[in-house]
Amino acid sequence: MRTIIHIDNQPLELIMADFDSEINVDEITSIDYSNLFGEAVTISTLLNRIGILKARAEAIYAEKKLEFDIYEATQRKRLRREAAMNSNYFKVDDQQIKLTENSLEEAIIIDEGWQVNKKNVIKAQETLNKVDSIYWAISSKSKKLEVMLKPITPEEFYNELMEGTVNGILIKNRKS
């Protein structure tokens, strides 16, 4: 995956591996005690990947919230204009309704477009909350690994490191 970000006027291209289409959350948030060194060398990459996923979920939530706010403001404006042109009344389902804050609120809430946009915001918030939860679990895992692993020599590290996939990252041990 390639993403371009802008810092001031400087474009920067970030290159990172995509996630598989499935992520076993229990697996990536728990510590594999049989391969602590594998966990240690992959945790920062995993935390970075989830952090980027979290940033995307936050952006999607903000976009859905903005769409919702614009839709709601447009509907309120339309109904107020209609009421201003019709002796302080607007129509909902062929029924004349006097403009009050309560009647305006009810008319907005029963609008199908408003409901669709509101549900989109709720779904985006749910997704963000799930990714946020995973992010904090992996952050906790990272802190626990720091405490568990004492400084070691490179030889000890290579002797203890097991090959395989850890945190969704393939480890190949190039023992000399």
Side-chain angles (χ1 to χ4, degrees):
M1 176 172 43
R2 294 175 181 264
T3 302
I4 296 180
I5 62 170
H6 295 273
I7 307 294
D8 294 325
N9 293 329
Q10 175 87 24
L12 297 171
E13 184 174 16
L14 305 177
I15 302 169
M16 61 210 93
D18 287 334
F19 272 114
D20 292 334
S21 60
E22 289 185 2
I23 300 171
N24 184 330
V25 175
D26 290 338
E27 185 178 295
I28 65 171
T29 58
S30 62
I31 296 174
D32 178 2
Y33 292 98
S34 68
N35 193 5
L36 288 176
F37 297 111
E39 291 280 4
V41 297
T42 61
I43 193 67
S44 60
T45 301
L46 176 62
L47 189 57
N48 181 58
R49 285 182 176 180
I50 295 296
I52 290 168
L53 197 60
K54 181 180 176 219
R56 184 65 196 131
E58 287 170 343
I60 291 169
Y61 170 72
E63 290 169 5
K64 295 298 180 188
K65 178 80 169 93
L66 178 61
E67 290 171 12
F68 170 75
D69 290 345
I70 290 169
Y71 185 88
E72 182 178 42
T74 302
Q75 291 303 99
R76 287 180 185 278
K77 183 178 177 180
R78 182 185 63 77
L79 292 172
R80 284 191 177 113
R81 277 191 179 159
E82 183 181 332
M85 297 173 65
N86 294 310
S87 304
N88 216 24
Y89 284 86
F90 62 89
K91 269 188 173 181
V92 173
D93 297 330
D94 295 328
Q95 184 180 11
Q96 291 281 55
I97 299 172
K98 183 171 175 73
L99 178 65
T100 65
E101 278 304 311
N102 284 342
S103 67
L104 183 61
E105 191 67 27
E106 287 175 11
I108 295 296
I109 291 173
I110 64 171
D111 179 81
E112 288 180 17
W114 183 92
Q115 293 171 13
V116 167
N117 278 288
K118 184 67 171 179
K119 287 176 183 176
N120 289 340
V121 170
I122 292 166
K123 287 177 188 171
Q125 178 71 58
E126 178 187 21
T127 299
L128 173 57
N129 289 342
K130 288 176 181 177
V131 174
D132 190 53
S133 176
I134 296 167
Y135 174 84
W136 288 109
I138 293 170
S139 180
S140 173
K141 175 181 175 176
S142 176
K143 289 175 185 163
K144 289 173 185 164
L145 285 167
E146 282 180 31
V147 171
M148 293 171 72
L149 293 172
K150 62 183 187 319
I152 60 167
T153 66
E155 292 81 23
E156 289 175 308
F157 177 79
Y158 284 112
N159 289 334
E160 295 293 325
L161 183 63
M162 295 172 50
E163 289 189 344
T165 301
V166 179
N167 296 322
I169 300 159
L170 179 63
I171 297 175
K172 291 206 174 227
N173 192 347
R174 307 248 190 250
K175 295 179 183 175
S176 45

